[in-house]
Amino acid sequence: MNTNRLRHLFSRALRASLATPLVLAGCGTGGTDLRGYSAIECTPLGDPAINDLSIQPAVDFVESRVLSGYGREGPVGYETRASTGEACASATDVSACQTALAEASSSDGFTGNCIQLCSRYFLATTRGDEVKTWASLQELQTLLGAVDTAQEAALLTFAAGYRLSCETLEQGAVKRNPGGGFNVVATKGDACGEGSNLMQYVVRVSANGELREVEDHVLQKGSGPCSVGRRPVGLEGTVAGGCEDALGHHFAQTAHLEAASIHAFLRLREELALHGAEAALQEAALASAVDEVMHTERTGRLARRYGATPPPPAVAAVPLRPLSEVALDNAVEGCVRETYGALVAHHQALHARDAEVREAMVRIAEDETRHAGLSWDIDRWARSRLSAPDQSALREAQKRAVALLRAEVAMPLDSALVTEAGLPTPEAALALLDTLEQELWA
């Protein structure tokens, strides 16, 4: 799996988590009166819908696209989010029109949300032989003209840099005004850090497409600073003891599992070589083992800082396994547990109040995202070599692993693990799992 795809997926899940009340969050001051408002219509991926745009003169086809880039990287191509109409339906040269549409992109884009991943949106349209892109609020205003539908009002508000929730009315809602135009409820900011606020705005979108804020409310006040690895076969159960402190126990157990992951990846490299996997997969497994050495050192240092000593892992010698068993282990440990663990690491990098924890998790999160991507690459490679019954067994094993993970993350946490270590609350963890299940494990 392209690691950028995982980053994008993690970014969406993390954006949603910022709107979830956290233990460290303070109280807000209320919001606008939502009587008469309706939910924002969205695509399955959580973007404003575009199936009810009233464009004059009419176009044959409209497509919403997103450009994504991570950190300092520029965008790599575009991803289609939604479309309506028939592409190039009235073109005189359909083939040329379709080629131009496929190549239509933009160096610009509207909205600039950056949480791990930076995403910029634009629309692409066809009308006759003409293919055009619309990549700014001003260009959208030109395209849409008179604002006749709730979707148009929501899309313009989104293009102006506001966030729109598809599920929560207080963070995403729209209503038609008696005198024309619409009011849109949207948000900016987040409750993540001392002095930060999750702000609710009521944006009035006039019939001619002009936007004006008419209300603002603090929904939630932030406080404090803001910013699960692969287990090897044969790992013997060891409880990280020697410390009653919740943070010490947590990081000792984490360091214990990170050290065990070194064995897991070295063994994985051997088994990939045994079954004839391409060199790139073998090399990535070895590089992952090297990453885990650093992770063990960083989490071990945190454990000792909180008064705990990580126990070394005990891994029994087990013969190399057939491909079906390697694939089954990878489907559970990599595609489920390690993928979720990478997402949790990003959550910790954003939410941990402890500065050393945040610093450690920023690096670990990026490494674990690559490791998760490797798991999905191995899954794709292995499945193509397995029988239908073995492939069915992989699907069932993943379902059981997801169900077990749901039960685990639903358990209550010590408050220090949420505030200092940045672990998601049970409610937030289940929401993160929901995103992964819809996108990866369905």
Side-chain angles (χ1 to χ4, degrees), residues 91-109:
T92 58
D93 188 338
V94 174
S95 178
C97 175
Q98 291 176 338
T99 298
L101 177 63
E103 295 175 350
S105 190
S106 175
S107 58
D108 202 354

Side-chain angles (χ1 to χ4, degrees), residues 13 15 80 162 265 350:
R15 278 201 297 270
T80 297
Y162 296 88
F265 280 113
L350 285 167

Side-chain angles (χ1 to χ4, degrees), residues 5-296:
R5 184 190 164 198
L6 278 180
R7 290 168 177 154
H8 193 125
L9 174 58
F10 290 170
S11 177
R12 289 209 308 276
L14 291 165
R15 278 201 297 270
S17 78
L18 287 181
T20 301
L22 300 172
V23 170
L24 57 79
C27 297
T29 59
T32 193
D33 182 353
L34 294 171
R35 285 177 294 183
Y37 281 89
S38 300
I40 300 292
E41 291 187 55
C42 292
T43 70
L45 295 176
D47 307 312
I50 60 169
N51 59 297
D52 190 30
L53 304 183
S54 177
I55 299 172
Q56 296 299 329
V59 297
D60 298 323
F61 178 77
V62 184
E63 187 166 81
S64 172
R65 297 174 173 181
V66 63
L67 299 160
S68 299
Y70 186 83
R72 297 179 181 176
E73 299 174 11
V76 182
Y78 66 80
E79 177 186 348
T80 297
R81 307 311 292 271
S83 63
T84 184
E86 182 181 350
C88 305
S90 62
T92 58
D93 188 338
V94 174
S95 178
C97 175
Q98 291 176 338
T99 298
L101 177 63
E103 295 175 350
S105 190
S106 175
S107 58
D108 202 354
F110 49 83
T111 76
N113 289 331
C114 287
I115 301 176
Q116 308 299 329
L117 188 79
C118 297
S119 300
R120 301 197 301 273
Y121 291 77
F122 68 98
L123 298 186
T125 62
T126 70
R127 179 189 288 123
D129 291 308
E130 179 185 63
V131 175
K132 291 191 69 173
T133 59
W134 312 82
S136 69
L137 173 61
Q138 293 72 27
E139 290 177 358
L140 280 183
Q141 289 169 325
T142 299
L143 171 67
L144 297 176
V147 178
D148 303 310
T149 70
Q151 283 190 13
E152 292 176 333
L155 183 60
L156 289 174
T157 304
F158 181 71
Y162 296 88
R163 286 202 304 270
L164 297 172
S165 170
C166 304
E167 296 88 17
T168 307
L169 283 182
E170 69 176 2
Q171 297 182 35
V174 60
K175 74 173 181 179
R176 185 183 294 271
N177 294 322
F182 295 82
N183 276 9
V184 179
V185 174
T187 63
K188 284 186 177 181
D190 56 72
C192 189
E194 194 69 47
S196 65
N197 294 313
L198 175 62
M199 296 294 300
Q200 179 195 69
Y201 294 93
V202 178
V203 180
R204 182 158 295 165
V205 184
S206 69
N208 64 5
E210 295 179 356
L211 282 71
R212 179 169 62 93
E213 290 178 3
V214 294
E215 291 183 40
D216 62 84
H217 307 274
V218 177
L219 284 183
Q220 195 176 344
K221 295 181 179 180
S223 63
C226 184
S227 45
V228 183
R230 178 186 287 256
R231 299 170 300 188
V233 61
L235 177 64
E236 298 176 359
T238 305
V239 177
C243 180
E244 294 185 0
D245 181 84
L247 288 164
H249 182 90
H250 168 74
F251 284 114
Q253 187 67 17
T254 301
H256 169 77
L257 292 174
E258 296 284 13
S261 293
I262 300 171
H263 297 267
F265 280 113
L266 290 175
R267 179 185 181 84
L268 179 61
R269 178 177 180 269
E270 288 186 75
E271 291 180 323
L272 289 172
L274 173 67
H275 297 295
E278 58 198 70
L281 292 179
Q282 298 180 45
E283 292 166 2
L286 180 59
S288 298
V290 175
D291 291 337
E292 298 294 1
V293 174
M294 184 277 291
H295 298 179
T296 302

Side-chain angles (χ1 to χ4, degrees), residues 399 402-403 406 432-442:
K399 288 180 182 178
V402 172
R406 280 191 173 280
L432 296 176
L433 276 176
D434 285 342
T435 301
L436 295 185
E437 188 159 18
Q438 292 164 12
E439 298 286 336
L440 292 177
W441 302 325

